[in-house]
Amino acid sequence: MKKSFYQIDQKQLAEDLQTNLKQGLAVQEAKQRFEKNGANTLTAKKKKSLFAKFVDQFKDLMIGILLAAAFVAALTGEQTDALFILAIVIINAIFGVFQESKSENAIDALKKMATPKATVIRGGQPEQVPATDLVVGDLVSLEAGDIVPADLRLVDVANLRVEEAALTGESVPVEKTDKTLTEDKLPLGDQDNLAFMNAHVVYGRALGIVVATGMQTEVGKIAGALQGQDETKTPLQENLKSLSKVLTYLILAIAALTFVIGYFTQNMPIIDLILTAISLAVAAIPEGLPAIVTITLALGTARMAKKAALVRKLPAVETLGSTDIIGSDKTGTLTQNKMTVEKVVLNGQVVDLAEENPFDSAHLSKPAAILGDIMTLNNDSQLTAEGLVGDPTETALIDFNEKYRPDRLEALRGQERLQEIPFDSERKLMTTIYEAGDAYQVTVKGAPDSILARVDSVLENGEVRPFTKEDLAHYQTVNGQLADQALRVLALAEKSLKTLPQEAKSDEMETGLTLVGFVAMIDPERPEVKDSVAQAKAAGIRPMMITGDHPQTAAAIADRLGILDKNDDREKTVMTGAALDELSDEVFDKRVEDVKVYARVAPAHKVRIVQAWQKKGKVVAMTGDGVNDAPALKAADIGVAMGITGTEVSKEAADMVLADDNFSTIVSAVKEGRKVFANIQKALQYLLASNLAEVIAIFMMTLLGWEVLAPVMILWINLVTDTMPAIALGLEPAQKNIMQQKPRGKTANFLSGGVGPAILWQGILQAVIVLSVYGFALAFPDHSGTALIHGDALTMAFMTLGLMQMFNAVNVKSVYQSQLNASTFKNHFFNGALLFSLIAMMAVVVIEPLNPIFHVTNLDPYQWFIVIGASIAIIVIVELVKWVQRTFFNRG
């Protein structure tokens, strides 16, 4: 079996890669390798051209039927109808392309254009080169603050610690080594002699040989896997697809039936039957629906963008509203990705900094002052123009002093360090020596067990006294209690020397110490997330934590956020990646509903978790910021990446990017998604009820031998009177209780919640009213002559159908609730759209030059009275039906 790079010793590695451990590659050799293998970059998925995006908009069966109808209309001499149909289709396509391109451009703007630099040794000489120029075999130098430019096998390490959260999910920096490791199949987080591309060096220095570049790195492998993964269809896309199929089959069936009836019972000419079939197709197809859905989603994205949620793919807005599960990464998403001192131990007692300031307490101020001094003096973090650089643990100690006593911090940072004993993993200690008046102060920090074994006195209540066995037992207990809370604990001690030794040695400097206290820190939760988790639960959404961090740390944060409940059985609710590996898919499918926290997981685990929930029919959202989150972001129904801390790989995989990295933004997005779905339902109810009325009316007119509504009439209704009010319905405010409702999930569709039945009875009602007006006009004509009588009747039916649809837009704001209240007209855009549509609809009759184009006659006041009265009747009748539903059937 081929050895992994972490298992190969340095000498063998140099031979295999034909490089030199001291001199690096020759300059010419590096150039040749670059020309042969290419740049050290991740290849992005090729974007579609504008033309390809435009063509994609026509890959829909309903659009195909409309195009066929336009073609037939043109052949039969109805050029006006053909042009109207084509115009609608092209406008829809332009809308789709515009929004897709706009979203892509916004994401591109998030990318940082600067190429990181790398220090490489070639021919024995160090030089700075763009990281993209690195090749396999290059010898790279790393220092604190660097970003690892490629996958490196470390060959010379000096106290190197690397933060790999973006790849492994481990929030605490990993201590690296240059020793050869022998174990087989080590997870990435345990391959301690490798440094991976995009990781951050927080402490120390090292030399490493490049073993992989670009798509061959661990980051690149994940990026490559993402590009081969299929896009997940959103519930919105599935709903629209299903609806399109149903409507298409209905259109074809009704058109065929009408053709047969007209030919065999009415002896209609073939050309008239073709035009009637076109009218039916135009009437049945909600040609404005794609544009209205796109516009409604686009309006939702605009509102979300103002709240720092950038949507890359329009359907993602609606998908969030149907989310059942949110699986979230911990580090940087639920937490701040910044170690923070939360508690200190002084005088043997735990002080919670959220409740008490130790510097303000009389009996704590002295030991607190000494503890703060040691935090500052025993610290290697560096203050740069970009802020503090160094190990997160040490920067947390400086932040503590910055918060409580900045003046003292400034004074101490100017002191000269005389000697030091650097930290190492065996001693688990770091020691520094500074001048202190006539003496010298030795400060020591490290693991509590290591410090407690080296102290012989303790500072309590301002006095130094001997350290007893009881003290040892007490401090060990306190350490255990803090560790159980997933707090990282450091002990701090000191002693005084009269003379400065020639060389600081551990066995002399790190014995006979005085214990000053403990410092307990954690990467804390984001302050707003707890409320967001509670809101998600109230909305019936299950939040989960899926992290690469330790189980104890993950469970502690989950406890604090409310993801875990107090009564939860930790054996069932917390699972590690190793435990998950031992479960078959069948067993895991049964266990998945119990688990709320997954710890120490790999990217493959995250995908498996997402897919397990999807098998149960759940809509799954996955949030994250790291490379390790990207496969799950892609596999989930909706992936949500972090815009600030997120890697480019995670952003490319996501459907939505949070520009502020704020988890609470997701809750706002869920609310917006639910509102968008509700508004699309309203628009759909409005459109389909209208189209159903048109189809029934045309079918019955054909059956009765009446004049049939022409395609241009139907198109004018659908374009002017349907579209504007339908778009305005997309701006309706959210219902007050929208976040107290359970998620509708994948099984729900646009016709659920009473919408389907409402479409049927309201469509039939409108058709009955239209046919009644036509029949009334025939029975009580204003003119003589069959052609003129039918012309008036057809015009009155046309106007009634158009105006009535607009009035019905008021009804569809709620399936069951009355709209006879002041809040009905709070949407000013809706009011304006309704007024505009009324004027546009009436104009084709009132303005006589337009009459021939739309095949209408000019109506007199009496006929207008009939039309308007019949149109308004829809509001009265629907309100009565809703009242009956609420009163006798307990609806709404």
Side-chain angles (χ1 to χ4, degrees):
M1 184 178 71
K2 185 179 178 181
K3 288 185 176 181
S4 299
F5 285 115
Y6 67 82
Q7 296 173 304
I8 302 174
D9 65 49
Q10 295 184 20
K11 184 177 179 182
Q12 184 62 50
L13 180 74
E15 291 179 8
D16 292 348
L17 300 182
Q18 297 180 3
T19 189
N20 187 289
L21 297 176
K22 302 294 183 184
Q23 304 290 315
L25 294 173
V27 174
Q28 189 60 32
E29 174 65 20
K31 183 178 180 182
Q32 290 174 359
R33 293 189 185 189
F34 181 85
E35 291 173 353
K36 179 181 178 181
N37 300 314
N40 174 34
T41 57
L42 301 182
T43 56
K45 193 173 182 179
K46 189 176 180 181
K47 292 183 179 179
K48 290 182 182 177
S49 65
L50 276 176
F51 179 74
K53 291 175 186 174
F54 186 75
V55 171
D56 282 347
Q57 308 303 315
F58 295 90
K59 294 179 181 178
D60 181 89
L61 192 54
M62 286 200 301
I63 297 297
I65 290 176
L66 279 178
L67 290 173
F71 179 71
V72 174
L75 289 179
T76 55
E78 297 292 333
Q79 279 80 15
T80 303
D81 293 350
L83 287 173
F84 262 101
I85 296 170
L86 281 174
I88 294 293
V89 171
I90 291 171
I91 288 169
N92 287 340
I94 292 171
F95 262 123
V97 172
F98 172 75
Q99 184 58 41
E100 191 175 338
S101 300
K102 184 179 176 183
S103 296
E104 282 186 359
N105 292 338
I107 285 298
D108 289 341
L110 279 176
K111 295 183 177 180
K112 295 177 181 178
M113 303 303 294
T115 301
K117 297 284 187 178
T119 301
V120 63
I121 299 170
R122 290 175 177 168
Q125 298 299 316
E127 61 174 311
Q128 285 252 313
V129 300
T132 53
D133 290 356
L134 292 180
V135 297
V136 172
D138 262 330
L139 181 61
V140 174
S141 173
L142 297 177
E143 292 183 354
D146 287 347
I147 296 175
V148 180
D151 283 2
L152 309 178
R153 167 64 161 86
L154 302 172
V155 296
D156 185 9
V157 168
N159 300 318
L160 185 72
R161 291 184 215 164
V162 179
E163 189 261 299
E164 298 176 339
L167 186 64
T168 67
E170 172 65 74
S171 59
V172 177
V174 178
E175 189 174 342
K176 294 295 184 177
T177 180
D178 52 24
K179 295 178 181 178
T180 303
L181 306 177
T182 57
E183 294 88 341
D184 290 327
K185 296 182 180 179
L186 280 178
L188 293 181
D190 295 328
Q191 295 177 16
D192 294 337
N193 59 7
L194 295 180
F196 301 105
M197 186 178 188
N198 285 1
H200 292 255
V201 179
V202 298
Y203 190 84
R205 57 181 176 75
L207 292 175
I209 297 291
V210 175
V211 295
T213 60
M215 297 301 287
Q216 302 306 310
T217 62
E218 293 300 327
V219 170
K221 290 174 185 176
I222 295 175
L226 291 175
Q227 291 179 12
Q229 191 159 342
D230 293 335
E231 296 278 343
T232 305
K233 289 288 184 183
T234 69
L236 175 68
Q237 291 168 321
E238 294 290 355
N239 273 327
L240 287 177
K241 184 179 178 182
S242 300
L243 182 63
S244 296
K245 280 185 178 180
V246 171
L247 288 176
T248 300
Y249 296 145
L250 283 174
I251 291 162
L252 295 175
I254 292 170
L257 181 62
T258 305
F259 193 93
V260 170
I261 291 173
Y263 185 77
F264 289 105
T265 65
Q266 302 295 331
N267 295 316
M268 291 176 66
I270 295 293
I271 190 69
D272 289 347
L273 287 171
I274 290 173
L275 289 174
T276 300
I278 292 173
S279 292
L280 276 169
V282 172
I285 293 175
E287 53 277 299
L289 181 60
I292 288 162
V293 170
T294 299
I295 291 167
T296 303
L297 291 171
L299 292 170
T301 64
R303 288 190 293 267
M304 291 171 67
K306 293 177 181 177
K307 298 177 181 178
L310 180 64
V311 176
R312 298 186 69 235
K313 302 166 188 175
L314 278 183
V317 181
E318 181 275 332
T319 309
L320 266 173
S322 61
T323 299
D324 298 285
I325 309 292
I326 298 178
S328 176
D329 182 40
K330 178 185 75 68
T331 306
T333 307
L334 298 173
T335 66
Q336 299 175 28
N337 198 17
K338 180 181 180 182
M339 295 298 285
T340 303
V341 177
E342 288 203 338
K343 297 178 181 179
V344 294
V345 178
L346 298 167
N347 295 342
Q349 67 186 67
V350 177
V351 181
D352 190 333
L353 298 177
E355 300 173 358
E356 185 176 1
N357 180 349
F359 296 97
D360 288 345
S361 173
H363 74 294
L364 294 177
S365 59
K366 183 175 179 180
I370 297 174
L371 193 80
D373 285 356
I374 298 174
M375 288 185 193
T376 305
L377 296 171
N378 198 298
N379 200 306
D380 283 337
S381 59
Q382 300 292 320
L383 184 61
T384 68
E386 289 76 30
L388 280 173
V389 174
D391 184 287
T393 300
E394 295 196 331
T395 58
L397 302 181
I398 297 299
D399 286 337
F400 171 87
N401 278 279
E402 180 69 41
K403 178 179 180 180
Y404 288 103
R405 46 181 212 155
D407 294 341
R408 179 64 174 165
L409 170 65
E410 191 63 31
L412 290 175
R413 287 180 74 84
Q415 283 195 233
E416 180 186 359
R417 182 179 298 177
L418 302 176
Q419 291 186 13
E420 65 179 299
I421 308 175
F423 177 89
D424 68 47
S425 56
E426 293 181 7
R427 291 168 29 256
K428 296 183 180 178
L429 299 172
M430 174 179 171
T431 298
T432 62
I433 304 175
Y434 290 86
E435 187 174 352
D438 296 335
Y440 299 92
Q441 183 185 14
V442 178
T443 69
V444 185
K445 81 168 186 289
D449 290 343
S450 298
I451 294 281
L452 293 176
R454 290 168 168 80
V455 301
D456 59 17
S457 59
V458 59
L459 177 65
E460 286 192 359
N461 299 313
E463 301 292 335
V464 176
R465 64 169 179 79
F467 190 72
T468 65
K469 289 182 180 180
E470 290 76 15
D471 291 327
L472 176 61
H474 172 71
Y475 280 97
Q476 286 175 334
T477 300
V478 171
N479 179 40
Q481 291 171 345
L482 294 172
D484 287 342
Q485 299 170 44
L487 293 165
R488 187 177 186 191
V489 185
L490 287 178
L492 288 87
E494 67 164 356
K495 74 175 182 179
S496 180
L497 297 177
K498 291 183 178 180
T499 58
L500 182 68
Q502 289 186 342
E503 181 184 356
K505 296 180 180 179
S506 175
D507 56 0
E508 296 175 359
M509 297 298 104
E510 296 173 343
T511 57
L513 302 174
T514 298
L515 178 65
V516 177
F518 290 171
V519 176
M521 62 191 76
I522 198 170
D523 174 15
E525 70 275 16
R526 290 177 175 267
E528 71 283 347
V529 171
K530 187 173 184 178
D531 287 341
S532 301
V533 169
Q535 288 180 50
K537 284 185 170 183
I541 300 168
R542 177 173 181 152
M544 293 187 308
M545 181 189 291
I546 308 176
T547 178
D549 216 334
H550 293 280
Q552 192 177 25
T553 305
I557 294 295
D559 267 327
R560 292 161 64 151
L561 290 175
I563 293 174
L564 286 176
D565 298 322
K566 291 181 179 179
N567 299 325
D568 282 339
D569 181 352
R570 296 295 187 268
E571 293 290 325
K572 291 183 177 180
T573 54
V574 180
M575 181 181 287
T576 64
L580 178 55
D581 283 333
E582 294 176 1
L583 301 180
S584 65
D585 287 342
E586 293 75 17
V587 174
F588 180 54
D589 287 346
K590 295 177 182 177
R591 287 280 314 276
V592 70
E593 293 187 16
D594 295 328
V595 185
K596 297 180 180 179
V597 175
Y598 294 88
R600 275 302 195 209
V601 294
H605 294 135
K606 296 186 178 187
V607 175
R608 189 179 175 193
I609 294 162
V610 168
Q611 292 173 342
W613 279 109
Q614 288 173 330
K615 286 179 188 175
K616 294 182 178 293
K618 300 297 184 182
V619 178
V620 183
M622 175 68 191
T623 72
D625 62 348
V627 175
N628 61 322
D629 298 319
L633 293 177
K634 190 84 167 184
D637 296 285
I638 176 166
V640 185
M642 303 297 119
I644 299 172
T645 59
T647 60
E648 298 307 328
V649 175
S650 66
K651 291 173 192 173
E652 286 294 332
D655 302 290
M656 189 171 82
V657 178
L658 302 183
D660 60 356
D661 286 14
N662 192 333
F663 184 86
S664 63
T665 305
I666 297 171
V667 176
S668 298
V670 168
K671 182 177 180 180
E672 188 63 45
R674 291 186 175 191
K675 182 173 80 171
V676 164
F677 182 84
N679 287 348
I680 290 176
Q681 270 194 315
K682 292 169 188 174
L684 193 69
Q685 180 185 340
Y686 173 64
L687 291 173
L688 293 187
S690 301
N691 288 21
L692 179 61
E694 293 164 6
V695 169
I696 294 173
I698 291 172
F699 180 76
M700 293 304 298
M701 286 173 171
T702 305
L703 202 63
L704 295 169
W706 292 351
E707 292 288 329
V708 177
L709 293 166
V712 69
M713 288 177 164
I714 300 298
L715 274 171
W716 185 249
I717 291 174
N718 290 357
L719 175 64
V720 178
T721 67
D722 279 8
T723 307
M724 288 298 288
I727 291 172
L729 287 170
L731 288 171
E732 283 295 297
Q735 297 173 354
K736 290 181 179 179
N737 66 339
I738 199 166
M739 287 302 285
Q740 277 72 54
Q741 300 170 8
K742 298 298 180 187
R744 58 183 187 277
K746 284 185 176 178
T747 56
N749 57 52
F750 286 122
L751 305 181
S752 59
V755 172
I759 289 171
L760 287 174
W761 72 261
Q762 289 178 17
I764 293 169
L765 175 62
Q766 289 180 67
V768 169
I769 293 174
V770 168
L771 293 170
S772 298
V773 168
Y774 196 112
F776 181 86
L778 291 180
F780 303 98
D782 265 17
H783 302 92
S784 57
T786 302
L788 196 55
I789 291 172
H790 274 277
D792 282 353
L794 187 65
T795 302
M796 290 174 68
F798 166 57
M799 291 308 299
T800 300
L801 182 61
L803 297 180
M804 183 169 50
Q805 287 181 13
M806 285 181 278
F807 290 125
N808 196 48
V810 176
N811 293 325
V812 303
K813 289 190 176 190
S814 176
V815 177
Y816 299 115
Q817 297 303 313
S818 172
Q819 293 305 303
L820 299 180
N821 54 68
S823 63
T824 299
F825 297 100
K826 280 188 175 181
N827 182 350
H828 299 303
F829 185 75
F830 176 83
N831 302 338
L834 210 59
L835 181 62
F836 172 82
S837 296
L838 283 167
I839 294 170
M841 185 69 203
M842 298 171 75
V844 300
V845 173
V846 174
I847 301 172
E848 292 191 23
L850 296 176
N851 292 174
I853 298 174
F854 290 93
H855 311 293
V856 296
T857 61
N858 205 279
L859 301 179
D860 62 27
Y862 169 73
Q863 291 170 319
W864 273 116
F865 177 79
I866 299 298
V867 167
I868 293 172
S871 302
I872 293 175
I874 192 73
I875 292 179
V876 178
I877 297 170
V878 170
E879 281 291 328
L880 284 172
V881 173
K882 286 182 179 181
W883 178 81
V884 171
Q885 289 175 322
R886 292 193 306 271
T887 306
F888 298 103
F889 298 97
N890 216 15
R891 300 292 186 183

